Amino acid sequence: MAAEPRALQRDDLLRAANSAGFSVSGRLLEEFRQDGLVPRPARVSNDGRRPVWIYPDGSDRQLVRLLCWRKHTKDVDVLRVLLWMECFPVALDVVRASATAVLDGLLRAVERDLRAEASRQGLDAVAEQDAVVSSIAATVAAKRGKNALPRPIRVPADQRATAVAHLLQIFALGEEPDVTEEEAETIEKVLGVSPGRRQRVEDAGPWLTGPASALVGATDFLSLPRMAEAIADATDSEWAAARPVAAALFLQLPVVARALAATYGKENFAGMGGLTALDGEPLMGVVLVAFALGARRSDWFGNVEALHYSLAPWPTLVGEMEQVLDMSQPELDHNLAVHGAEMRDRTHRIIKALLDGDLNPGPGPTQ
């Protein structure tokens, strides 16, 4: 039997936030309402002369989830899309406008970076765009430190710079550069996904197959310009169909990557290491909504849909894994005694991942 909807008042929402470790004032709650991040209450009666306002059922959960995401971004447009993706009540026309604003902002940032680099190098940002991109790529590829690109696999500096230039052409500009198979294989190494061609989960085949150069064809739906077009053109039914796909990719795929890392004791097992922190980057949630919209119109959609379906069992699987946390240490030791050292090590790594919250989807705690 379904639970009866609860009559939620403002203090109920504030208590829910407080119980989750957040401090929210009445003024901040009103700002959230004005921004469309929390539902508005309805006046249902009076308590003497004082009006009684009731929030829709689930508003307390929405507020807590909003606060979790807000630790990582205060961009209202991004927050609206994330809440909609998680099936909280945010109007689709508002979500569409917010997603458009985010993608347009990314495109403007790309244009600004191109113009700024062209000015520094004394180049024409349009006529000499390839040279400008190569200059940016060389800087990005060589950068070290906190904000540098990850280096999961060693690649010679010149090849790394070329690969980054091709990635900028494909994903940022929506171009299809002339890439050889050898250069495409280098791109896979720079992205860190190349182990996906040889490392496999148990008896399953490798997930990365086919020619590496096929990546160039993904520009039809994976580049910023094409994703912006997909957002602008998509029908309401396409948005509805894209929502669970985007949610699975954004919230479940990183859980799978972290589970694999824990299971096999390798940060980049099967080339999935780059996905482990995906759900901690709110902006990527918006990008994946646009990706899901564009993929529906591409030849790649069958692969994307298959991936979506393969992720569906993971919440249940994680729930089953969590049952081990209810075992006493003697019971756990007894059950593991009949297994080899490798299985025991795997189990302890999974337990640590569960205790650390690594197998929970969505934003983790800020540092």
Side-chain angles (χ1 to χ4, degrees):
M1 180 181 295
E4 288 290 328
R6 291 178 297 154
L8 297 170
Q9 295 184 268
R10 189 191 72 161
D11 288 349
D12 294 311
L13 270 66
L14 298 181
R15 277 194 293 270
N18 184 262
S19 297
F22 298 101
S23 177
V24 179
S25 65
R27 170 178 280 186
L28 183 58
L29 183 60
E30 174 58 25
E31 289 181 14
F32 292 159
R33 290 196 299 264
Q34 291 177 355
D35 289 334
L37 299 172
V38 171
R40 289 187 173 276
R43 183 174 178 174
V44 296
S45 63
N46 288 317
D47 182 5
R49 293 185 176 182
R50 185 175 65 90
V52 176
W53 297 87
I54 298 298
Y55 285 84
D57 187 42
S59 297
D60 51 347
R61 296 191 303 274
Q62 181 168 339
L63 174 60
V64 170
R65 194 58 170 169
L66 164 64
L67 293 169
C68 288
W69 285 118
R70 200 169 176 270
K71 291 187 301 182
H72 296 259
T73 181
K74 290 184 173 60
D75 188 317
V76 173
D77 287 315
V78 173
L79 292 169
R80 287 174 182 145
V81 177
L82 294 178
L83 291 172
W84 170 84
M85 181 196 295
E86 294 199 79
C87 295
F88 290 109
V90 183
L92 181 55
D93 59 340
V94 173
V95 173
R96 189 192 300 267
S98 289
T100 298
V102 171
L103 266 291
D104 286 350
L106 291 175
L107 288 169
R108 288 194 298 272
V110 169
E111 293 174 0
R112 285 197 302 269
D113 289 346
L114 289 173
R115 289 196 300 269
E117 186 65 18
S119 178
R120 282 193 292 269
Q121 301 299 330
L123 299 170
D124 187 298
V126 177
E128 298 175 287
Q129 181 174 277
D130 286 351
V132 176
V133 170
S134 293
S135 179
I136 293 175
T139 301
V140 171
K143 192 171 184 178
R144 299 277 185 173
K146 180 179 178 181
N147 297 320
L149 290 178
R151 296 170 181 258
I153 297 172
R154 292 180 62 87
V155 174
D158 58 336
Q159 294 180 26
R160 179 178 171 84
T162 298
V164 172
H166 286 150
L167 287 170
L168 290 174
Q169 289 174 309
I170 294 168
F171 299 120
L173 302 177
E175 298 178 349
E176 294 192 13
D178 185 12
V179 175
T180 66
E181 185 64 17
E182 183 177 359
E183 288 174 329
E185 290 170 357
T186 301
I187 291 175
E188 289 186 347
K189 293 177 182 177
V190 169
L191 291 173
V193 300
S194 57
R197 291 190 175 276
R198 58 183 185 277
Q199 294 176 352
R200 59 188 68 194
V201 179
E202 303 303 337
D203 296 329
W207 68 267
L208 188 58
T209 59
S213 54
L215 175 68
V216 177
T219 188
D220 286 343
F221 67 96
L222 196 53
S223 68
L224 285 178
R226 301 294 86 75
M227 287 193 287
E229 291 174 3
I231 285 176
D233 297 341
T235 64
D236 287 0
S237 61
E238 287 177 320
W239 278 87
R243 175 156 62 177
V245 176
L249 296 177
F250 184 52
L251 297 172
Q252 293 304 327
L253 191 54
V255 172
V256 174
R258 294 193 290 267
L260 290 175
T263 299
Y264 293 96
K266 296 180 180 179
E267 291 185 1
N268 192 36
F269 181 79
M272 298 188 71
L275 299 172
T276 56
L278 185 67
D279 54 347
E281 299 290 342
L283 180 61
M284 287 305 302
V286 185
V287 171
L288 284 170
V289 169
F291 164 80
L293 287 169
R296 292 187 61 81
R297 304 180 180 188
S298 76
D299 293 337
W300 290 49
F301 181 61
N303 294 332
V304 175
E305 194 170 44
L307 176 58
H308 169 215
Y309 290 141
S310 72
L311 294 170
W314 271 90
T316 300
L317 290 174
V318 172
E320 292 173 352
M321 293 180 193
E322 289 175 338
Q323 294 177 12
V324 73
L325 299 180
D326 296 328
M327 293 184 183
S328 65
Q329 190 61 49
E331 181 183 6
L332 178 62
D333 292 340
H334 174 75
N335 290 341
L336 290 177
V338 297
H339 297 284
E342 182 179 353
M343 177 59 72
R344 291 196 295 271
D345 288 344
R346 283 188 181 186
T347 302
H348 289 306
R349 287 195 298 267
I350 287 291
I351 290 173
K352 183 178 185 305
L354 289 166
L355 292 173
D356 291 345
D358 290 345
L359 303 190
N360 297 330
T366 53
Q367 298 298 320

